[in-house]
Amino acid sequence: MDKLKVYIVEDDPLYGKIIQYNLSLNPDIEAKLFSNANDFLNKLEENPDLITLDYSLPDMTGEEVLKRIKKYNPNIPVVIVSGQENLKTAIKLLKDGAYDYLTKDEETKDRIWNIIKNIRENLDLKEEISNLKDQISKQFDLSKTVIGISPVMKKVYSLVEKAVNSSITVSLTGETGVGKEVIAKAIHYNSKLKNKPFVSVNITAIPKDLIESELFGHEKGSFTGAIARRVGKFEEADGGTLFLDEIGEMDINMQSKLLRVLQEKEITRVGGNGIIKITCRIIAATHRDLAEEVRKGNFREDLYYRLLGLPIPIPPLRMRGNDILLLAKHFINEYCKENDVNKISITPETNQKLLKYEWPGNVRELKAVIELACVMCENNSIVPDDIQFSKNYSIDSLLAKEMPLRDYSNNIIKHYLLKYNDDVILVSKKLKIGKSTIYRMLQKKTI
Amino acid sequence: MSDKLYNLEQINLMAEGDNEFVKSMVNMFIEIAPDLIVKIKNGLVSGNYDEIKASAHKLKPSIDMMGIATLKNEIREIEKLAIERTDQYTLNNKIKHLDDTLTQVIAQLKLL
């Protein structure tokens, strides 16, 4: 990390020199001494990490200097060092934004060191957060995230580029499993909002009676079970991106509320009175043909046009030609990396099998098939028999690998959701389990 | 030789064993203290209490740093009396004591 820049503004030469000397003993600190306010203010644009400021300077009061520092950059911590204890002055300066108020005595040096330690820890944390954000950003680098060179995908890339360079609402359409969330994240993390939150909501994963609270938040006591105030997804996404997945599944009453929020750009929490402005960008996604749903009366036309923005249709995998093989290779590499196994190859005959299949579950299905093939293959080479498509999914395949009962159950539920396009209600009826069980598993990401 | 009127313990602590630095701090004190005493005495003569207050305020941390125990409270009282602008007699005496003591301190420091 860079040296911590500490600027000491002190007109007592003895005191100033001693503090500067003492701080400079630490090789990670660059301490500069200024004997008057004007000399210091001329160097303020050097953006010190910490300022120690004598309250009474020859050319300006410490209060005035503090005001100017805060006007320039309110985030620079300023420690006022004064020759006398004055509680009233101390309180006022702290209210004006001073980080701390110290009196000049034998303990001042140690107090300054403590402050430096705290500031250093904060800066380290900020740097770590910034690095993590960079990593996330790199993880969603467009060229690495979305794999495909087919003509249909090139059209998608050109639209994504336009989405990245603007703040327009985006509507992503495509069959289940084509990668709508991946595209949404790629748009967010390649845009100027990349350092802001990306909040994802899957409408189908939330019980209908809880959707309003989930999106807009609720106040304590607003309904049974509301034991504390809760911030909704719109607020969580403040300044960033809110991804509304499976927007086509939203019921008509909730659609009206959502429309109002998008029009007014403000929300009120359930059970609350206050109006909260919202500033997030919306990316909506659905596997349905929303125009058709409007015609059928299942989706509001006004909301449809409000969400339309920049429409990006994402083609099904079967239309992407050799992208299937590129993706298969990518998933194999991912599997090997995650499981720390040797490289796994894929035979030409297997590739042909992959190319001939319809892929109703699209990229998600391809990933699941490839992962299973990686597990099932022998001699680190995937052959056609290792490729098990969901239509042919048999009990023998299910029991081929031993695993805990819970994992068997999870795999069965996953298989049914894939088969029936994530229709939770239908799958719960087929398997004769509660739909809340499936919702819970989706929320906890166990399936 | 009279007992030392100063104590360099605090400066030594802050200098972390750098004797050259301690020497430079002592020399700085020898240089700036007399100027401030002159300003205080002039302020007394001319009735410029603001000057007395400002100079006493500046001298205060240096007196603490040099460990001049006999002047620790004295300098604070001088500053207070200059603010209050009353009791010129006491102020006068205290400034005289300040001057005498600092003269001795500086003489002792020059022998280092």
Side-chain angles (χ1 to χ4, degrees):
Chain A
M1 199 181 163
D2 292 337
K3 281 188 179 193
L4 200 75
K5 272 198 297 213
V6 181
Y7 283 15
I8 304 156
V9 192
E10 173 61 62
D11 67 328
D12 175 348
L14 198 73
Y15 190 81
K17 260 261 162 313
I18 282 236
I19 295 290
Q20 182 191 27
Y21 175 81
N22 196 259
L23 293 180
S24 300
L25 286 174
N26 186 321
D28 293 332
I29 293 179
E30 180 196 330
K32 268 191 194 171
L33 175 61
F34 301 90
S35 61
N36 63 71
N38 282 312
D39 284 351
F40 158 71
L41 288 169
N42 286 338
K43 297 289 183 184
L44 186 53
E45 65 198 15
E46 289 174 4
N47 290 313
D49 298 302
L50 168 66
I51 299 165
T52 75
L53 175 62
D54 185 14
Y55 185 60
S56 33
L57 291 164
D59 51 348
M60 214 179 284
T61 63
E63 220 168 310
E64 179 60 33
V65 179
L66 176 64
K67 253 190 216 134
R68 293 202 195 184
I69 296 168
K70 289 295 159 188
K71 192 177 175 190
Y72 170 76
N73 181 350
N75 295 322
I76 300 179
V78 181
V79 175
I80 307 285
V81 184
S82 171
Q84 58 207 26
E85 268 184 38
N86 186 323
L87 192 60
K88 223 171 155 184
T89 306
I91 291 171
K92 179 160 191 325
L93 291 166
L94 290 167
K95 278 184 181 171
D96 288 345
Y99 187 90
D100 208 339
Y101 179 98
L102 309 178
T103 43
K104 287 177 185 171
D105 58 29
E106 51 277 3
E107 288 174 15
T108 309
K109 177 201 87 165
D110 289 334
R111 288 203 196 106
I112 291 177
W113 274 117
N114 269 341
I115 288 167
I116 286 173
K117 187 172 154 239
N118 288 338
I119 286 168
R120 173 69 94 192
E121 278 170 6
N122 276 343
L123 286 174
D124 285 344
L125 264 170
K126 279 185 188 162
E127 195 180 347
E128 196 181 333
I129 289 169
S130 176
N131 287 342
L132 282 169
K133 282 183 177 170
D134 274 344
Q135 278 176 33
I136 289 172
S137 199
K138 279 177 191 154
Q139 198 183 333
F140 286 97
D141 180 336
L142 202 53
S143 60
K144 289 174 189 141
T145 318
V146 188
I147 294 162
I149 54 173
S150 57
V152 289
M153 281 309 289
K154 284 184 179 165
K155 282 184 191 164
V156 172
Y157 296 146
S158 118
L159 290 172
V160 166
E161 206 66 49
K162 292 185 193 309
V164 159
N165 293 323
S166 78
S167 55
I168 189 172
T169 297
V170 172
S171 53
L172 303 171
T173 52
E175 293 177 8
T176 303
V178 292
K180 295 187 284 293
E181 183 157 358
V182 169
I183 297 280
K185 282 181 176 168
I187 292 171
H188 173 82
Y189 287 110
N190 285 278
S191 73
K192 61 182 181 192
L193 301 181
K194 63 183 180 182
N195 291 323
K196 299 286 184 182
F198 176 88
V199 176
S200 176
V201 182
N202 185 320
I203 304 296
T204 55
I206 304 164
K208 283 186 172 40
D209 50 351
L210 291 178
I211 275 216
E212 191 178 350
S213 159
E214 187 75 10
L215 290 177
F216 309 141
H218 61 245
E219 298 292 353
K220 183 178 167 183
S222 50
F223 53 86
T224 309
I227 52 170
R229 170 190 280 186
R230 193 174 167 210
V231 157
K233 297 294 180 192
F234 272 94
E235 278 185 85
E236 268 184 45
D238 184 41
T241 301
L242 178 62
F243 175 55
L244 298 170
D245 197 6
E246 297 302 354
I247 192 70
E249 310 309 304
M250 188 176 276
D251 81 42
I252 205 88
N253 291 327
M254 191 58 216
Q255 287 176 32
S256 315
K257 292 179 183 175
L258 177 63
L259 174 65
R260 192 159 187 290
V261 163
L262 296 179
Q263 280 171 338
E264 307 301 321
K265 294 197 191 319
E266 55 188 40
I267 56 161
T268 300
R269 294 192 193 123
V270 174
N273 294 319
I275 289 173
I276 301 160
K277 290 282 174 202
I278 53 151
T279 58
C280 54
R281 181 212 200 143
I282 304 292
I283 298 179
T286 180
H287 69 273
R288 294 190 185 278
D289 179 345
L290 277 190
E292 182 61 27
E293 295 300 307
V294 168
R295 275 192 289 278
K296 286 180 189 170
N298 296 332
F299 204 85
R300 288 183 66 118
E301 189 177 15
D302 42 11
L303 180 59
Y304 168 71
Y305 284 114
R306 179 64 63 168
L307 289 172
L308 191 61
L310 170 61
I312 301 182
I314 302 170
L317 189 56
R318 61 186 168 277
M319 289 174 63
R320 292 174 57 180
N322 285 342
D323 283 354
I324 293 170
L325 304 183
L326 285 175
L327 283 161
K329 195 167 172 213
H330 169 74
F331 292 136
I332 291 171
N333 290 341
E334 262 192 357
Y335 174 88
C336 293
K337 201 170 156 191
E338 278 165 20
N339 293 278
D340 198 23
V341 298
N342 289 334
K343 200 174 160 183
I344 296 173
S345 63
I346 188 164
T347 67
E349 297 76 23
T350 311
N351 279 337
Q352 287 308 308
K353 188 173 178 181
L354 292 174
L355 285 171
K356 283 178 187 166
Y357 183 55
E358 283 289 290
W359 299 107
N362 293 289
V363 179
R364 189 185 289 144
E365 185 182 7
L366 174 61
K367 186 174 187 220
V369 164
I370 293 296
E371 280 178 357
L372 182 60
C374 288
V375 168
M376 302 299 284
C377 72
E378 302 285 344
N379 304 320
N380 288 351
S381 175
I382 296 174
V383 297
D385 282 348
D386 296 325
I387 299 295
Q388 306 277 347
F389 296 130
S390 58
K391 280 194 288 192
N392 298 323
Y393 197 79
S394 68
I395 193 70
D396 289 333
S397 309
L398 184 64
L399 295 174
K401 188 175 178 236
E402 288 180 3
M403 58 184 80
L405 182 61
R406 187 189 57 216
D407 289 350
Y408 282 127
S409 304
N410 291 345
N411 285 342
I412 289 167
I413 294 171
K414 250 200 278 199
H415 164 72
Y416 271 77
L417 283 171
L418 195 61
K419 188 173 177 187
Y420 294 106
N421 286 329
D422 292 334
D423 189 335
V424 172
I425 296 168
L426 181 58
V427 167
S428 69
K429 278 187 188 147
K430 293 265 177 203
L431 292 175
K432 292 187 175 22
I433 58 173
K435 54 181 187 293
S436 57
T437 304
I438 302 177
Y439 282 133
R440 225 177 6 257
M441 291 166 95
L442 283 167
Q443 271 189 321
K444 287 185 184 168
K445 295 190 199 303
T446 49
I447 53 169
Chain B
M1 170 77 174
S2 52
D3 284 340
K4 267 195 312 182
L5 294 169
Y6 63 88
N7 185 333
L8 298 181
E9 190 183 330
Q10 196 181 343
I11 290 189
N12 278 326
L13 261 169
M14 287 185 128
E16 302 211 358
D18 187 338
N19 291 331
E20 284 305 312
F21 180 74
V22 173
K23 234 188 202 170
S24 72
M25 290 293 102
V26 168
N27 288 337
M28 200 184 285
F29 178 79
I30 291 171
E31 204 181 299
I32 61 173
D35 278 344
L36 290 170
I37 291 290
V38 165
K39 281 182 178 167
I40 288 172
K41 283 172 10 182
N42 288 344
L44 187 64
V45 164
S46 61
N48 187 343
Y49 290 98
D50 288 338
E51 182 65 75
I52 298 172
K53 176 198 151 220
S55 300
H57 183 79
K58 274 204 177 103
L59 198 46
K60 191 169 54 182
S62 300
I63 283 173
D64 290 346
M65 198 80 67
M66 299 302 292
I68 307 172
T70 52
L71 293 181
K72 185 175 167 122
N73 288 333
E74 195 96 313
I75 191 70
R76 282 159 175 81
E77 281 162 21
I78 290 172
E79 190 182 4
K80 187 166 171 279
L81 288 168
I83 293 168
E84 288 168 0
R85 300 186 185 206
T86 55
D87 199 353
Q88 184 154 0
Y89 177 75
T90 307
L91 182 60
N92 192 27
N93 285 345
K94 286 192 183 292
I95 289 173
K96 189 168 183 325
H97 181 238
L98 174 75
D99 187 13
D100 290 342
T101 308
L102 277 181
T103 304
Q104 286 180 69
V105 168
I106 288 168
Q108 287 176 358
L109 286 171
K110 280 182 177 171
L111 294 174
L112 272 180

